[in-house]
Each structure stands twice: as C-alpha cells, then as structure tokens.
Amino acid sequence: MKKIILLLILPLISYSQDLNSALNLHNTLRGYYDLKPLAINEELNIIAEERAELIAEQDKIIHSENDYGENIFYTTEIKLSRDYFLEASITWIVEVDNKLSMRQMLCSECKDIGFGVSMNDDKVFVVALYDEMYDDANIIRSRTENNNN
C-alpha cells in the first residue's frame, strides 16, 4: 500500500519542484568563479529522470558510464513541500568528504544541465546531468588562482 501511495505522490513531487532554484544556485556559484551560467536542457532532463528512476529501482547509487557529468543525491526524508533539487545542489557544494560534486558544478566547459527525480519505498533520488564531464583541465580551482593567471 505504501508503494502505491508513493507512486501517486511522485508526480506531485516531480512537477512541484522548481528547477530554477537549483539552476540559480549553480549559476551563483559559477558566477563567483567567473564561469558562464548553465541553461536547463530538456534532453538532459529526460536522461536525468531516466537515471533517477533506474537508481531508485535498484536502490543503489551507481554513476553512469556515459559522457555526461553527473551528480547524485538521495534523502530518506520524503515531504511534498521540500525542494529536492535545491537541497541536492546545496549538498553537492558543502560535502566535506567528497568535493567531486562541486568540481562538476564548476566544470568550465559545461553549458547545459538537466535534473531528474525519483523515489522508491524510502528514498528520494535526485540526478543532475551536465553536458560535459569535468576533468582537471576544466575545473576552476579558486577565484584567486583564476584572477592571478
């Protein structure tokens, strides 16, 4: 019964979320490092949604092996009023043990982003896909280093 209720609620979560809050946070961070803003890409949204659904189904975070950059977030706190896209983006910035997510957000070659969300019995998963995957050559390490070059 719980699964049926969650399946009925999922469309409400998916469509009630405002991608703009997460996009604005990404672009505010990128602006601090003098990087061009990202734009929402509908094709990336579709692929990110498919990835989120697969991850929720498997209940296991496995990064894809495609050419897209990817950040993944999950929470066990399921509430309709939460902005999961924004919460995920904040988490990717403040993660202490893993700065790879923030590095992806600061990939200087990225122009587009897409978001997807899905849930299983006890978790909500958010996936952000970027049109480029970061590497050491296209990461801005710090504003000071960038301005000194």
Side-chain angles (χ1 to χ4, degrees):
M1 181 67 163
K2 183 178 178 183
K3 192 165 193 154
I4 292 171
I5 292 171
L6 289 176
L7 289 173
L8 294 173
I9 292 174
L10 181 59
L12 297 174
I13 291 174
S14 296
Y15 297 111
S16 68
Q17 301 296 306
D18 184 3
L19 298 180
N20 286 327
S21 59
L23 178 65
N24 288 340
L25 180 61
H26 272 75
N27 288 335
T28 298
L29 178 65
R30 290 174 64 82
Y32 179 79
Y33 291 96
D34 298 319
L35 297 172
K36 292 181 181 176
L38 298 173
I40 295 290
N41 179 299
E42 290 304 320
E43 183 179 335
L44 289 176
N45 279 344
I46 292 167
I47 298 168
E49 187 72 25
E50 291 169 354
R51 288 281 305 134
E53 289 171 6
L54 178 66
I55 291 167
E57 182 181 302
Q58 295 177 351
D59 197 19
K60 188 173 183 181
I61 294 179
I62 300 172
H63 285 275
S64 63
E65 295 182 11
N66 59 35
D67 292 333
Y68 299 114
E70 181 178 65
N71 282 336
I72 302 172
F73 164 86
Y74 80 91
T75 183
T76 57
E77 297 180 29
I78 301 173
K79 297 179 184 170
L80 286 178
S81 62
R82 290 178 77 161
D83 185 340
Y84 292 105
F85 299 117
L86 180 60
E87 184 176 344
S89 298
I90 292 169
T91 300
W92 295 326
I93 293 170
V94 299
E95 285 179 319
V96 175
D97 297 335
N98 179 3
K99 290 296 182 189
L100 297 178
S101 298
M102 188 166 130
R103 288 181 180 177
Q104 180 60 61
M105 294 172 76
L106 295 175
C107 172
S108 62
E109 300 300 314
C110 289
K111 296 178 184 81
D112 294 323
I113 188 171
F115 292 97
V117 64
S118 189
M119 67 172 25
N120 60 21
D121 289 339
D122 59 350
K123 295 181 189 100
V124 174
F125 295 88
V126 175
V127 173
L129 281 185
Y130 304 81
D131 61 334
E132 297 287 337
M133 190 179 302
Y134 83 88
D135 62 34
D136 288 337
N138 63 22
I139 298 171
I140 301 301
R141 287 176 181 75
S142 76
R143 187 177 178 97
T144 305
E145 287 178 18
N146 192 32
N147 287 337
N148 287 336
N149 292 330

